[in-house]
Amino acid sequence: MIVETEAYLGLKDAASHAYCGVTARNKVMFGPPGFAYVYFIYGMYECVNVVAEREGSAGAVLIRALEPLLGVELMQIRRPGAKRLRDLASGPGKLTLALGITRALNGVDVTKGSLVVRDRRGGEAFEITAGPRIGITKCADWPLRFTIKGSEFVSR
DNA sequence: CAATAGATCATCT
DNA sequence: GATGATCTATTGC
């Protein structure tokens, strides 16, 4: 279950990859919603977004952390360094490693097939809190980071 | 504890 | 040629 996300907007958001217009890398951000935008960062990690704006308008949601409910053993194999459950996917770089998400999935339709995420806890209530974004230098104070209140599985 | 450093490379200027 | 939507290890109080 996803416990932490961040929103990145289009031409008005200096922290967004879409800030300066369409490029080869960010073009899926300008496409229709429901598609995965996967990019490579710091020479080492990949991060997943889901495009969330209509075609022609840029905007995406970065998936920053999740609480492992299914496939825990597989995640542990992919991330041998993780000692605790919360270390498996508590951060955008770790999350893609744990799930085996790579740039090969850039541009895939997330609304079809196996990428659809379901909450197995059956409608258990939770609260979402908004706060400043993490790991960026521009517009970091915009309250576009959303976490499930009280979750132990968010990044720090 | 908190702060800093280093890894490492695709992307954009 | 610099930078970055990160992470881990290491250093310094």
Side-chain angles (χ1 to χ4, degrees), chain A residues 127-146:
Chain A
E127 261 185 80
I128 298 176
T129 51
R133 294 185 290 186
I134 286 185
I136 53 178
T137 54
K138 303 161 197 158
C139 308
D141 55 325
W142 293 13
L144 294 178
R145 174 175 181 248
F146 304 95

Side-chain angles (χ1 to χ4, degrees), chain A residues 26-152:
Chain A
N26 70 18
K27 65 182 174 203
V28 345
M29 278 188 81
F30 288 84
F35 286 77
Y37 168 48
V38 186
Y39 66 90
F40 187 61
I41 190 69
Y42 297 124
M44 212 166 293
Y45 297 102
E46 280 151 305
C47 299
V48 229
N49 298 248
V50 178
V51 177
E53 278 280 342
R54 69 186 185 278
E55 184 162 13
S57 179
V61 175
L62 170 68
I63 312 298
R64 289 192 54 89
L66 55 83
E67 172 180 350
L69 296 176
L70 285 172
V72 172
E73 301 213 336
L74 249 185
M75 293 190 195
Q76 286 169 333
I77 290 170
R78 294 186 181 121
R79 301 208 57 252
K83 302 235 182 273
R84 304 186 279 168
L85 195 57
R86 80 161 300 277
D87 294 328
L88 284 177
S90 54
K94 294 192 277 187
L95 180 148
T96 52
L97 287 175
L99 296 185
I101 293 174
T102 70
R103 281 162 289 172
L105 293 176
N106 188 41
V108 306
D109 188 340
V110 176
T111 68
K112 298 189 171 105
S114 59
L115 273 182
V116 177
V117 177
R118 294 188 182 82
D119 180 2
R120 284 181 79 234
R121 302 201 291 199
E124 182 177 326
F126 56 83
E127 261 185 80
I128 298 176
T129 51
R133 294 185 290 186
I134 286 185
I136 53 178
T137 54
K138 303 161 197 158
C139 308
D141 55 325
W142 293 13
L144 294 178
R145 174 175 181 248
F146 304 95
T147 58
I148 292 195
K149 190 175 180 180
S151 172
E152 301 292 312

